């Protein structure tokens, strides 16, 4: 938007045009005085060895003075030349890592010098108080405009800088998750450019949106490497076992189904990612609880069992054959009872508490299972195998069909 569009009243319109002719011969001396005051009052701008920076400061001061005088003579004169200079200054401030406060200070100092000179010369040129007031109003409006131009350049530089940093962090994430592992020096070099401190340990997290609705970007600490725009959104969390890290992740990822791989050394990040990828589909299917962050380290037996699900189902066809003759409505109850018995050492009281039934109910079902399976039910060599196949069966199509049949009955 142009200055004309933003400032329809143009306060400098009220300043008599001949004032510009009075000011113009004094511009060089005023510029020198303003530059001297700015360099003395803003140490960040005092760079005697930096000729390019000194040139930019002089260009900004002289350009602003000429522009202001031109606006008095012709309120419709082009604003773009001086606006371009101040956009460049704002850009430089951002690249120098400073806030715009320093620039605002320099603008105030320059305006103070200009007003001091104007006040000193007003009696000599018989400038009325009304005209002085119009000039003051014009100066303040003019300062707002050049400050706005500087802010535009500053904002653009910060956005570009943030984009560059984000790009480097995504490249670093890809490098850390690559197999085989990247050379430590390559990781260190890219980490330095990405402003990321290489930690001692990491854990990978893979994500899936809980719903199709627009999600809010998780609020994560700056040391967490994240890429939510890839086909498989993921994070790499430094020092995942540190104080407060688990609570932070739970809160930040509440809108996602999230699976976190085991804690590993940095060079083994890809291994953590592999386990997280194994866990996420199981969490989405309901095999693993998905209400909070799914930690692979807490579900390793299940992950191992489901590593080759087809093989386990083939074994299940053999081991669970005696259950085929049981009505679907009753089959799932027996399967759940048997799995709980295997997990709790056939302790009827503990199994009853797990299944929320009476211990006598457990004993009755166990008697039925003994009739179906015989002595193999207590065979130490088959118990682990039975536990594995029962876990898979309960999360597969057979259990779903039995649930449907139970609902129909």
């Amino acid at each position: 938007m142009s200055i004309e569009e933003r400032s329809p009243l143009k306060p400098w319109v009220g300043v008599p045009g001949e004032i510009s002719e009075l000011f113009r011969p004094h511009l060089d001396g005023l510029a020198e005085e303003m530059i001297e005051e700015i360099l003395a009052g803003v140490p960040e701008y005092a760079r005697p060895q930096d000729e390019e920076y000194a040139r930019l400061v002089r260009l900004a001061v002289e350009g602003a003075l000429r522009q202001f005088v031109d606006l008095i003579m012709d309120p419709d004169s082009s604003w773009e030349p001086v606006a371009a200079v101040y956009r460049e200054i704002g850009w430089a401030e951002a690249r120098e890592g400073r806030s715009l406060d320093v620039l605002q200070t320099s603008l105030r100092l320059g305006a103070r010098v200009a007003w001091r000179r104007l006040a000193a010369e007003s009696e000599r040129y018989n400038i009325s108080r009304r005209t002085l007031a119009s000039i003051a109003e014009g100066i303040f409006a003019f300062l707002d405009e050049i400050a706005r131009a500087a802010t535009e350049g500053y904002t653009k530089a910060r956005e570009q800088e943030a984009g560059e940093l984000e790009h480097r962090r995504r490249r670093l994430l890809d490098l850390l998750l690559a197999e085989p592992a990247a050379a430590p020096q390559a990781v260190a070099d890219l980490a330095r450019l990405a402003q990321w401190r290489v930690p001692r340990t990491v854990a990978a997290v893979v994500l899936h949106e809980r719903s199709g609705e627009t999600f809010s970007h998780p609020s994560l600490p700056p040391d967490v490497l994240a890429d939510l725009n890839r086909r498989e959104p993921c994070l790499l969390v430094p020092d995942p076992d540190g104080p407060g890290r688990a609570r932070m992740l739970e809160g930040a990822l509440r809108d996602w189904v999230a699976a976190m791989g085991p804690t590993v050394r940095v060079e083994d990040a890809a291994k953590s990612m592999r386990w997280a990828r194994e866990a996420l589909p199981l969490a989405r299917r309901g095999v693993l609880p998905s209400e909070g962050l799914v930690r692979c380290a807490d579900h390793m037996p299940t992950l191992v069992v489901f590593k080759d699900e087809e093989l386990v189902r083939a074994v299940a066809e053999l081991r669970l054959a005696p259950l085929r003759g049981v009505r679907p409505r009753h089959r799932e109850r027996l399967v759940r009872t048997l799995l709980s018995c295997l997990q709790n050492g056939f302790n009827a009281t503990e199994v009853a508490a797990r299944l929320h039934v009476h211990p006598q109910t457990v004993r009755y079902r166990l008697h039925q299972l003994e009739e179906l399976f015989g002595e193999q039910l207590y065979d130490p060599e088959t118990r682990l195998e039975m536990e594995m196949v029962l876990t898979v069966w309960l999360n597969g199509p057979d259990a779903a069909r039995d649930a449907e049949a139970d609902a129909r009955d």
Side-chain angles (χ1 to χ4, degrees):
M1 182 180 293
S2 68
I3 185 173
E4 292 80 7
E5 292 171 314
R6 286 196 299 262
S7 309
L9 298 180
K10 300 177 184 176
W12 38 81
V13 171
V15 182
E18 59 268 20
I19 292 293
S20 67
E21 297 305 319
L22 294 178
F23 285 171
R24 206 172 293 278
H26 301 284
L27 292 185
D28 290 343
L30 181 56
E32 292 296 335
E33 190 176 344
M34 290 173 68
I35 291 170
E36 183 178 339
E37 184 93 1
I38 290 170
L39 295 181
V42 185
E44 291 88 346
Y45 287 170
R47 300 183 181 184
Q49 306 303 321
D50 193 336
E51 294 182 2
E52 177 60 24
Y53 204 82
R55 184 194 68 81
L56 189 60
V57 171
R58 179 170 296 277
L59 187 64
V61 173
E62 293 177 349
L65 287 173
R66 283 195 302 271
Q67 176 74 47
F68 186 70
V69 171
D70 288 345
L71 284 171
I72 293 176
M73 177 62 72
D74 178 11
D76 294 323
S77 60
S78 175
W79 163 255
E80 183 53 33
V82 74
V85 171
Y86 276 88
R87 280 195 290 270
E88 185 179 352
I89 289 174
W91 176 286
E93 292 296 281
R95 288 297 185 175
E96 292 284 338
R98 287 194 293 265
S99 72
L100 282 176
D101 293 342
V102 175
L103 179 60
Q104 295 284 1
T105 300
S106 71
L107 292 177
R108 287 194 296 270
L109 287 173
R112 188 164 62 192
V113 172
W115 181 251
R116 191 167 61 217
R117 173 70 73 88
L118 177 62
E121 300 290 340
S122 62
E123 291 186 8
R124 176 183 171 188
Y125 290 107
N126 197 27
I127 300 174
S128 69
R129 290 188 177 182
R130 181 185 182 92
T131 299
L132 280 175
S134 296
I135 295 173
E137 186 179 359
I139 289 174
F140 291 131
F142 185 75
L143 286 176
D144 286 343
E145 293 301 328
I146 60 178
R148 183 177 286 111
T151 300
E152 289 174 2
Y154 186 90
T155 302
K156 187 174 182 180
R158 291 298 297 267
E159 288 174 350
Q160 182 177 9
E161 194 174 59
E164 290 172 356
L165 185 63
E166 185 64 26
H167 177 66
R168 289 170 185 161
R169 286 183 166 237
R170 285 197 298 268
R171 284 175 51 207
L172 178 60
L173 180 61
D174 290 338
L175 188 66
L176 290 166
L177 296 177
E179 291 188 280
Q185 189 57 51
V187 170
D189 290 344
L190 188 50
R192 177 176 51 78
L193 292 174
Q195 299 178 22
W196 191 71
R197 182 185 63 82
V198 179
R200 188 176 59 85
T201 60
V202 295
V205 180
V206 291
L207 308 168
H208 181 78
E209 296 173 61
R210 289 193 181 278
S211 67
E213 300 176 2
T214 303
F215 64 87
S216 57
H217 195 289
S219 179
L220 297 163
D223 62 342
V224 175
L225 297 178
D227 188 353
L228 303 183
N229 296 320
R230 61 170 65 193
R231 184 179 58 83
E232 182 183 58
C234 65
L235 316 172
L236 194 65
V237 183
D239 303 317
D241 301 323
R245 301 296 269 180
R247 186 168 60 255
M248 174 275 295
L249 288 172
E250 290 280 0
L253 302 177
R254 60 181 175 272
D255 293 330
W256 301 80
V257 180
M260 184 168 73
T263 299
V264 297
R265 299 175 303 170
V266 173
E267 56 267 35
D268 293 326
K271 296 178 182 178
S272 182
M273 175 61 81
R274 282 204 306 272
W275 281 110
R277 284 173 173 158
E278 294 285 343
L280 185 64
L282 298 181
R284 293 178 60 191
R285 286 170 51 188
V287 176
L288 298 177
S290 63
E291 293 306 311
L293 180 65
V294 179
R295 296 173 177 80
C296 289
D298 297 337
H299 304 284
M300 278 301 175
T302 303
L303 290 172
V304 171
V305 168
F306 278 83
K307 190 74 174 172
D308 193 338
E309 197 170 341
E310 289 186 7
L311 175 61
V312 178
R313 290 196 185 284
V315 176
E317 288 290 329
L318 175 64
R319 292 299 182 192
L320 302 182
L323 289 170
R324 294 298 175 189
V326 179
R327 291 197 313 269
R329 177 163 130 174
H330 190 51
R331 184 188 300 147
E332 184 179 356
R333 297 173 189 171
L334 289 179
V335 168
R336 293 190 181 279
T337 301
L338 177 54
L339 179 58
S340 188
C341 284
L342 291 167
Q343 293 171 337
N344 294 278
F346 290 90
N347 185 310
T349 303
E350 291 185 13
V351 173
R354 282 280 190 92
L355 300 179
H356 306 291
V357 297
H358 195 278
Q360 189 59 37
T361 301
V362 174
R363 296 187 185 96
Y364 172 73
R365 293 177 185 173
L366 188 54
H367 178 69
Q368 292 179 294
L369 289 166
E370 288 172 345
E371 291 182 345
L372 290 169
F373 288 95
E375 290 298 321
Q376 66 171 316
L377 198 64
Y378 302 103
D379 182 1
E381 294 184 4
T382 61
R383 284 179 60 174
L384 178 59
E385 189 178 294
M386 288 282 285
E387 186 174 340
M388 291 171 60
V389 298
L390 289 167
T391 300
V392 173
W393 188 91
L394 283 170
N395 291 282
D398 290 338
R401 284 194 294 268
D402 283 0
E404 291 174 5
D406 194 11
R408 286 195 300 270
D409 291 345

